[in-house]
Amino acid sequence: MLEETKFDSEYYNEDYFKTPEGKKYTKPDGSIGAWSYSNSDGEWLGCEPIVKTWKEIFNLNDKSCVLDVGCGRGTFIGYLRNIGIETHGFDFSEWAINNPYPKCHKDWIRCHDATKQFPYGGSPFDLVLCLDLMEHMYIDDIDKVINEIFRVGNKWIFLQIATVDSNSNGYILEKEDLVPKELEGMAVAGHVTVQNKQFWINKLMANKENKWKLRDDKVKEFIKKVPSNIISNWTKNTILILEKV
């Protein structure tokens, strides 16, 4: 059984990111497995073609400013800064912020809870990134996080979300729920709200139709420009791009 059932900031520790032992969970056959990102230095070479594509399709330049919400150890921030794009980020995990990706300076990132008001003024960011974050949000907090993403976004929002296909109901774990054994293999990654693409579109676009619009054409452009082997997991899940009207 999962050693912890509350996915708070302490859950996202060294075992989660670096794997001295990994997060323990029960497999379907009853044996005990261990999961982690298993990444000792936070490097991912797939970042380079992705950030170059963002720069191109969102017309980013040395006057642009980007925010990475749930930035982990700041790998994408390091890569964006390397191509001259001012980028900031924050994450729930104290361990991640205190052990950043070596090419991400500590003054570019901060420890902050995405369910609280973001520590920035209104609309300062030309691009807001939200990568593998929303599925970590408890259902009661999702609207708060979405509202803050929109509040600080000035032009573009790019989300990548772990989802199920349209024929699946997925699952939602409440804050006080014990994780059922049959879900431990999914929940061990901290995924508490796993739904389909339309669920997230409905959440994002509620009362926003006159202010933001979905850009499926930009998603297709992004997928076309980035090598498929790099974003194969992203395309199996959901990529959404929104533009401020």
Side-chain angles (χ1 to χ4, degrees), residues 69 113-116 118 130 133-134 137-138 141-151:
V69 180
D113 182 349
T115 68
K116 311 297 182 184
F118 295 180
C130 189
L133 174 73
M134 298 309 297
M137 297 292 106
Y138 284 105
D141 294 324
I142 288 172
D143 289 343
K144 290 182 284 186
V145 177
I146 289 173
N147 288 338
E148 281 298 288
I149 289 171
F150 282 122
R151 184 182 68 81

Side-chain angles (χ1 to χ4, degrees), residues 167-211:
N167 296 318
S168 174
N169 292 326
Y171 66 87
I172 293 174
L173 294 175
E174 303 281 354
K175 290 180 180 179
E176 303 304 322
D177 285 349
L178 294 176
V179 180
K181 285 187 177 181
E182 65 272 17
L183 293 180
E184 287 193 19
M186 291 276 289
V188 67
H191 295 180
V192 296
T193 303
V194 180
Q195 295 289 295
N196 60 34
K197 178 180 178 179
Q198 192 59 50
F199 170 91
W200 292 107
I201 290 175
N202 293 344
K203 280 287 185 183
L204 287 159
M205 298 308 295
N207 303 315
K208 299 291 191 302
E209 294 85 352
N210 296 326
K211 299 177 181 178

Side-chain angles (χ1 to χ4, degrees), residues 48 51-52 76-85 103 108:
E48 184 173 5
V51 301
K52 287 181 176 179
F76 276 105
I77 293 171
Y79 272 88
L80 281 159
R81 288 270 185 168
N82 190 54
I83 61 170
I85 309 299
K103 296 178 184 178
W108 299 341

Side-chain angles (χ1 to χ4, degrees), residues 73-142:
R73 299 174 70 184
T75 306
F76 276 105
I77 293 171
Y79 272 88
L80 281 159
R81 288 270 185 168
N82 190 54
I83 61 170
I85 309 299
E86 181 181 350
T87 309
H88 303 270
F90 66 85
D91 198 274
F92 197 28
S93 168
E94 291 186 10
W95 189 91
I97 298 303
N98 290 329
N99 296 272
Y101 169 60
K103 296 178 184 178
C104 178
H105 295 178
K106 285 189 175 182
D107 57 354
W108 299 341
I109 56 178
R110 63 176 74 188
C111 190
H112 184 74
D113 182 349
T115 68
K116 311 297 182 184
Q117 182 173 324
F118 295 180
Y120 312 99
S123 303
F125 298 104
D126 302 289
L127 171 63
V128 179
L129 303 171
C130 189
L131 310 173
D132 287 309
L133 174 73
M134 298 309 297
E135 64 271 19
H136 294 258
M137 297 292 106
Y138 284 105
I139 191 71
D140 291 344
D141 294 324
I142 288 172

